[in-house]
Amino acid sequence: MSTALVILAAGKGTRMNSEMPKVLHQIANAPMLIHAMQSGAPLSPARTVIVAGHGFDDVKAAVEAHDPDASVVLQAEQKGTAHAVDAARAALADFDGDVIVLFGDTPFVQPETLERMVAARGENAVVVLGFDATDPGKYGRLVMHGDQLESIVEYADATDEQRTITFCNSGVMLADCKTLYALIDEIEANNAQDEYYLTDIVGIARARGLSVSAVACDEAETLGINSRLHLAQAEAVFQTRARIELMEMGVTLQQPETVMLSFDTVIGRDTVIEPNVYFGPGVTVESGAHIRAFSHLEGCHVSRGGVVGPYARLRPGTELAEDVRIGNFVEIKNAVLDEGAKVNHLTYIGDASIGAETNIGAGTITCNYDGVMKHKTTIGRNAFIGSNTMLVAPVTIGDKAMTASGSVITTNVPDDALALARAKQVNKPGLASKMFELLKLKKKKRDKGVE
Ligand code: UD1
Ligand code: MG
């Protein structure tokens, strides 16, 4: 049976107090909506429909960047969760299969949980995901009768007795597409909030003699985000889970709670991560590497045996081949470093390629930007760039070439050549002590002047 995902994301999210639609706020550097899409992705949905309203264009752009096959439909006015699912009707008109409804602000539903719902569908027309709430608050309550779910009552409409129920509605539902829309057709908005409640399909299905079941999941999976505080809590949940996963996969995190990961961080076995390391989006680190304390990485690849940091910054487009060493206070952007290259101290390498085993001395700068355009620096293999060399791009340094410390290199250096590009030194014998005397005299005069 094929499955379609419908993700509700039209709400404003007033409590976020933001110009940005709620579902675009990020957890681990990806919009929470993308996390919700990821939960459903392992089911290989035949279709994914996002229902957007507030910030429609931005939501559409974010969805399309993540999955060009997903469709984004407009719910211009938010008249309730059933009204939202109804907005996806046209996009599913010719769809024959099951529909899973997810919320875009509930990013942690586990794929295994959705698989359990799919497995529970069988004879059931509708399957609802519930959870035992420690504090049921204002969640909709699941009214069970044996193994049948009889109805869902929203808190606002519940009796005192129903409010004592702790088995609550997560919002996730599964139903056959045709049945779902037939049930939605019967929903009316005569309730405390004058909304079309999707939850009403349960009572309607039961009244028709259809079978409805509830699958339970851990409360943590149903964590919904409504405020910045929730967002921070969700970030913490994600980070804790991701760190544990990495450790289980054989990565050493010396002080896990200080390491920040992104939704797509990949780190290989036996790599060691020291404290206070930040992984922005798009980072892959192979096995047996070592990322030292206080390093900041994004959009980069570190190969086996690489050592990065402490205090290194790898920016997008950085590709480090095996056994490359990047030391403290080194920034690298859009550059490929071949095997065994070393950039150990206080250096900026941008828009460059550096050959194998080349050593870049302390304080080297690739002057890649002329104020208007970016230019490339190419350095061969086994080269030696002396400390404090300015490489004014575009420039090419040959294999086994050398630059003298303090050089400002503006023209290409051939293979095996030594480039000296600095003022010649002059020594004046005995002039140091004379200079001191002169300066002391000057200071005395100045001090007197002040009195
Ligand atoms: C809903 C459930 C409630 C459940 C709770 C779990 C209903 C009627 N109630 O209540 O039983 O316990 O979630 O968190 O379904 N949305 C739209 N368009 C709309 C309305 C909502 O896209 O017209 C989206 C929202 O952006 C949000 C989601 O649907 O992502 C849920 O809506 P929300 O208003 O938060 O529903 P709750 O009142 O929390
Ligand atoms: Mg809600």
Side-chain angles (χ1 to χ4, degrees):
M1 169 92 65
S2 61
T3 311
L5 289 181
V6 172
I7 306 182
L8 309 191
K12 181 161 192 267
T14 312
R15 286 163 65 195
M16 292 301 286
N17 191 8
S18 175
E19 292 294 317
M20 189 162 73
K22 174 163 82 171
V23 292
L24 294 188
H25 283 267
Q26 298 195 332
I27 300 166
N29 293 312
M32 62 175 96
L33 174 60
I34 304 304
H35 288 263
M37 289 173 75
Q38 298 272 46
S39 324
L43 298 174
S44 312
R47 276 188 217 185
T48 301
V49 185
I50 313 297
V51 180
H54 285 277
F56 180 83
D57 293 337
D58 293 339
V59 171
K60 191 171 158 68
V63 167
E64 284 170 356
H66 175 71
D67 176 4
D69 294 331
S71 40
V72 183
V73 300
L74 175 69
Q75 185 198 19
E77 264 186 286
Q78 284 74 52
K79 297 182 183 170
T81 44
H83 183 255
V85 175
D86 200 46
R89 189 190 292 254
L92 294 170
D94 56 344
F95 178 72
D96 188 19
D98 281 345
V99 173
I100 292 189
V101 178
L102 297 173
F103 290 171
D105 63 356
T106 308
F108 294 133
V109 180
Q110 292 300 292
E112 302 75 48
T113 300
L114 299 180
E115 273 154 19
R116 281 195 294 122
M117 290 179 74
V118 170
R121 239 277 281 150
E123 294 304 299
N124 295 298
V126 180
V127 180
V128 172
L129 183 64
F131 63 101
D132 251 309
T134 357
D135 172 17
K138 296 196 170 163
Y139 286 114
R141 306 298 207 265
L142 300 189
V143 183
M144 300 295 298
H145 187 254
D147 61 358
Q148 282 295 310
L149 175 60
E150 292 298 328
S151 64
I152 305 178
V153 251
E154 286 306 289
Y155 178 83
D157 306 292
T159 62
D160 284 345
E161 201 195 328
Q162 286 168 332
R163 285 180 181 178
T164 64
I165 297 173
T166 56
F167 193 32
C168 291
N169 178 29
S170 68
V172 181
M173 288 205 193
L174 167 67
D176 161 70
C177 187
K178 302 235 156 16
T179 315
L180 175 68
Y181 284 105
L183 295 170
I184 286 176
D185 282 336
E186 290 184 39
I187 294 176
E188 286 168 32
N190 47 11
N191 50 52
Q193 304 182 87
D194 295 321
E195 280 187 5
Y196 294 91
Y197 290 164
L198 182 63
T199 47
D200 281 354
I201 65 168
V202 173
I204 298 169
R206 291 299 293 138
R208 283 186 176 194
L210 297 171
S211 178
V212 180
S213 80
V215 161
C217 73
D218 196 276
E219 186 168 7
E221 292 183 40
T222 69
L223 180 73
I225 294 156
N226 299 307
S227 63
R228 306 268 181 173
L229 178 62
H230 291 160
L231 188 67
Q233 287 164 341
E235 182 75 45
V237 167
F238 179 93
Q239 294 296 334
T240 305
R241 190 182 292 164
R243 291 167 190 143
I244 291 171
E245 268 172 26
L246 279 181
M247 291 187 276
E248 282 172 356
M249 276 156 43
V251 177
T252 295
L253 302 184
Q254 292 179 338
Q255 203 175 358
E257 66 280 12
T258 67
V259 174
M260 292 294 284
L261 302 162
S262 280
F263 69 105
D264 60 352
T265 304
V266 176
I267 305 179
R269 207 160 157 247
D270 289 323
T271 281
V272 175
I273 312 294
E274 291 186 9
N276 296 295
V277 175
Y278 183 91
F279 292 92
V283 177
T284 49
V285 180
E286 290 182 10
S287 299
H290 193 135
I291 311 297
R292 305 196 59 195
F294 296 99
S295 293
H296 189 285
L297 291 77
E298 57 187 319
C300 64
H301 177 77
V302 179
S303 301
R304 185 181 286 271
V307 180
V308 174
Y311 299 97
R313 179 168 184 211
L314 303 186
R315 291 172 54 204
T318 298
E319 293 276 343
L320 308 184
E322 291 189 11
D323 302 316
V324 165
R325 286 174 172 266
I326 304 299
N328 43 262
F329 307 108
V330 170
E331 173 183 348
I332 307 210
K333 184 214 75 169
N334 188 32
V336 177
L337 281 76
D338 283 344
E339 256 178 74
K342 293 184 187 66
V343 189
N344 278 329
H345 338 262
L346 300 156
T347 288
Y348 172 59
I349 300 292
D351 304 311
S353 85
I354 297 179
E357 304 294 336
T358 281
N359 187 89
I360 308 288
T364 296
I365 307 281
T366 53
C367 310
N368 60 327
Y369 186 48
D370 58 15
V372 180
M373 286 177 293
K374 300 278 169 67
H375 302 281
K376 196 178 171 188
T377 300
T378 305
I379 304 176
R381 62 184 165 77
N382 297 97
F384 183 91
I385 304 301
S387 296
N388 200 30
T389 297
M390 301 295 113
L391 298 159
V392 182
V395 71
T396 298
I397 313 292
D399 293 342
K400 298 182 188 169
M402 245 187 198
T403 67
S405 333
S407 289
V408 177
I409 303 293
T410 52
T411 55
N412 295 347
V413 179
D415 289 355
D416 210 17
L418 165 66
L420 281 145
R422 61 189 186 205
K424 204 166 178 146
Q425 182 170 331
V426 192
N427 288 341
K428 306 269 183 185
L431 214 70
S433 48
K434 278 189 188 148
M435 196 68 175
F436 277 125
E437 295 296 305
L438 208 76
L439 288 169
K440 279 178 193 158
L441 208 67
K442 225 177 179 178
K443 181 167 188 281
K444 222 179 210 171
K445 275 188 185 164
R446 193 195 66 183
D447 291 351
K448 263 192 190 151
V450 169
E451 280 163 19

